[in-house]
């Protein structure tokens, strides 16, 4: 059962218990008025009121239908006892009305939400009214007002429970609708993130290799270019077979590599670009203890920065400095090349925006770039450790 339905039942049981106990105490208090009933009748009424209170607690604690039926039966007996009193006072009439319209009607709050509960509530209400009409006929009392109060009490509590049940049903349906919308949004977001990651991978590998081929592989040894083309071919095979590209650096730098550790180290980046003709001077750690997603994002962003150095800086050397503290890992990529004006880069150039900034933003990191024409370029990459 859904939690919202459990809360509904808990609320209705509390309403039923409070109503039954309040009705029982109020009816008994009416009988304590002087000369309302004689001593023997008061003793019987006391026992019945106590029994009704116990049945109300049992019914609302365990949801027992048998306890509910017994409560109504005890209330009917109490009506017959009070109606047969030799002294029929307004206090007695009030006690009869409370017993019929409050105490016995309390079970309607819990029964109406059950399967076929409405029919049972109607049956028990009819039984209570029949007991009052029988008492009126046998003891020649006018109990019309008592019957009206009884009918109204049962109707009010039954309608209240049905209204609450309907409200819970509507709320549950809306919650389910919101949940479905949230799930669809989550799946769409994950799909978009995967597509963006695939686009970054293609940009950093296949498109970079095609760019090299378009420039006749200037500065790159034939063997290195052949190895890179083989890696790209395996990557394209993954895409053709529908294998999702993980956010891992395996797909970026060494698809299908058996050396998973090497593929996730900064040394693998240096080796790759050494084959491509870019001499990277390394400062700091070659490996860092980072969660896989953050390490992959940092390695991928670093690789794209070095690719930009190789393609656009006009120099064949770059410096990479890795530092870390308790919270953050930083990688600084510096070259003494041509430099550029960062604000002048058009929005259509998505390499830095997606492969660097987008990667780091996805894991809570950030990238900052410092450059000007003729003064080289420095890029600061940061990712959190946790």
């Amino acid at each position: 059962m859904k939690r919202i339905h459990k809360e509904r039942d808990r609320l209705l049981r509390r309403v039923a218990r409070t109503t039954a106990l309040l009705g029982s105490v109020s009816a008994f208090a009416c009988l304590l008025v002087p000369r309302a009933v004689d001593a023997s009748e008061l003793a019987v009424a006391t026992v019945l009121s106590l029994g009704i209170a116990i049945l109300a607690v049992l019914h609302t604690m365990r949801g027992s239908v048998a306890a509910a039926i017994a409560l109504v039966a005890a209330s009917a007996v109490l009506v017959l006892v009070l109606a047969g009193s030799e002294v029929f006072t307004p206090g007695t009439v009030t006690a009869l009305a409370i017993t019929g319209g409050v105490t016995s009607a309390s079970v309607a709050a819990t029964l109406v939400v059950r399967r076929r509960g409405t029919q049972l509530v109607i049956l028990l209400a009819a039984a209570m009214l029949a007991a009052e009409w029988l008492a009126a006929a046998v003891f020649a009392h006018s109990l019309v007002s008592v019957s009206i109060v009884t009918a109204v009490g049962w109707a009010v509590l039954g309608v209240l429970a049905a209204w609450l049940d309907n409200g819970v049903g509507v709320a549950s349906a809306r919650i389910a609708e919101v949940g479905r919308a949230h799930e669809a949004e989550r799946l769409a977001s994950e799909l978009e993130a995967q597509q963006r990651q695939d686009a970054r991978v293609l940009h950093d590998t296949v498109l970079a290799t095609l760019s090299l081929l378009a420039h006749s592989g200037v500065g790159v040894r034939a063997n290195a270019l052949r190895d890179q083309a083989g890696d790209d071919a395996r990557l394209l095979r993954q895409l053709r077979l529908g294998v999702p590209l993980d956010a891992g650096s395996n797909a970026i730098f060494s698809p299908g590599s058996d050396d998973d550790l090497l593929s996730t180290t900064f040394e693998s980046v240096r080796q790759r670009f050494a084959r491509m003709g870019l001499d990277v001077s390394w400062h700091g750690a070659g490996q860092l203890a980072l969660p896989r997603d953050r390490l992959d994002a940092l390695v991928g962003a670093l690789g794209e920065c070095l690719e930009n150095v190789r393609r656009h800086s006009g120099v064949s050397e770059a410096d990479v400095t890795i530092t870390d503290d308790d919270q953050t890992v930083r990688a600084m990529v510096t070259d003494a090349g041509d430099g550029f004006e960062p604000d002048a880069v058009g929005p259509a150039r998505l390499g830095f925006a997606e492969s660097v900034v987008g990667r780091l933003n996805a894991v809570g990191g950030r990238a900052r770039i410092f450059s000007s024409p003729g003064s080289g370029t420095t890029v600061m990459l940061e990712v959190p450790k946790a």
Side-chain angles (χ1 to χ4, degrees):
M1 183 183 296
K2 295 181 180 179
R3 181 175 180 180
I4 191 171
H5 291 149
K6 291 182 179 179
E7 293 299 325
R8 175 206 65 187
D9 291 345
R10 184 179 292 111
L11 175 61
L12 290 177
R13 287 197 298 268
R14 187 177 301 171
V15 169
R17 182 167 56 250
T18 302
T19 302
L21 294 178
L22 182 62
S24 181
V25 171
S26 300
F28 185 71
C30 292
L31 299 179
L32 295 179
V33 175
R35 291 180 295 181
V37 291
D38 60 27
S40 60
E41 292 167 347
L42 180 60
V44 174
T46 301
V47 173
L48 288 173
S49 297
L50 182 59
I52 289 172
I54 294 174
L55 290 171
V57 173
L58 291 176
H59 167 60
T60 55
M61 284 181 60
R62 301 183 178 181
S64 171
V65 176
I69 295 174
L71 187 151
V72 174
S75 299
V77 172
L78 181 59
V79 166
L80 292 172
V81 170
L82 296 179
S85 176
E86 295 181 358
V87 182
F88 199 69
T89 65
T92 306
V93 176
T94 304
L96 286 170
I98 293 174
T99 300
V102 178
T103 306
S104 66
S106 64
V107 300
T110 55
L111 295 180
V112 78
V113 296
R114 289 174 172 267
R115 185 180 179 184
R116 298 181 180 177
T118 302
Q119 294 90 325
L120 181 58
V121 168
I122 294 174
L123 181 62
L124 291 177
M128 194 67 206
L129 288 171
E132 293 172 352
W133 295 337
L134 176 62
V138 171
F139 301 108
H141 294 306
S142 177
L143 299 180
V144 176
S145 60
V146 173
S147 298
I148 293 174
V149 171
T150 299
V152 170
W154 279 84
V156 167
L157 284 168
V159 169
L160 176 64
W163 172 79
L164 181 60
D165 181 50
N166 180 71
V168 167
V170 172
S172 180
R174 290 180 178 176
I175 291 172
E177 183 179 354
V178 171
R180 289 191 297 270
H182 181 270
E183 180 66 13
E185 182 179 358
R186 184 186 65 81
L187 293 175
S189 177
E190 290 180 354
L191 178 60
E192 181 182 3
Q194 185 62 50
Q195 290 174 340
R196 291 169 71 93
Q197 175 60 25
D198 292 351
R200 292 169 190 151
V201 170
L202 288 174
H203 176 274
D204 296 350
T205 54
V206 178
L207 294 182
T209 304
L210 291 176
S211 178
L212 274 176
L213 293 174
H215 291 82
S216 302
V218 175
V220 182
R221 297 191 306 274
N223 289 339
L225 188 57
R226 184 165 50 251
D227 291 342
Q228 185 63 31
D231 288 344
D232 293 343
R234 286 192 291 273
L235 177 63
L236 290 174
R237 191 178 303 114
Q238 284 182 288
L239 291 174
R240 181 173 60 83
L241 294 175
V243 178
L245 298 179
D246 295 329
S249 54
N250 277 357
I252 299 172
F253 297 107
S254 183
S257 170
D258 293 331
D259 188 356
D260 187 62
L261 178 61
L262 178 62
S263 68
T264 56
T265 63
F266 297 109
E267 178 63 17
S268 66
V269 181
R270 189 193 65 78
Q271 292 178 8
R272 175 187 177 227
F273 283 98
R275 296 196 306 267
M276 306 288 279
L278 180 66
D279 184 17
V280 180
S281 297
W282 197 263
H283 310 280
Q287 296 185 10
L288 288 172
L290 276 174
R292 177 61 184 263
D293 59 337
R294 290 171 173 78
L295 178 61
D296 290 340
L298 183 58
V299 170
L302 178 60
E304 177 62 16
C305 290
L306 292 174
E307 178 66 21
N308 288 337
V309 172
R310 189 190 66 78
R311 293 173 58 185
H312 304 301
S313 69
V315 297
S316 60
E317 297 179 351
D319 290 281
V320 175
T321 303
I322 302 295
T323 60
D324 67 320
D325 54 31
D326 293 338
Q327 297 180 340
T328 307
V329 174
R330 298 177 180 85
M332 186 170 65
V333 183
T334 305
D335 68 77
D338 298 335
F340 65 99
E341 185 61 49
D343 294 337
V345 178
R349 302 293 296 273
L350 300 179
F352 185 80
E354 283 296 327
S355 294
V356 179
V357 177
R359 266 199 180 99
L360 298 182
N361 286 345
V363 295
R366 63 173 181 167
R368 292 177 289 173
I369 187 167
F370 309 93
S371 184
S372 61
S375 300
T377 302
T378 297
V379 181
M380 178 66 75
L381 311 174
E382 297 180 352
V383 294
K385 285 188 172 181

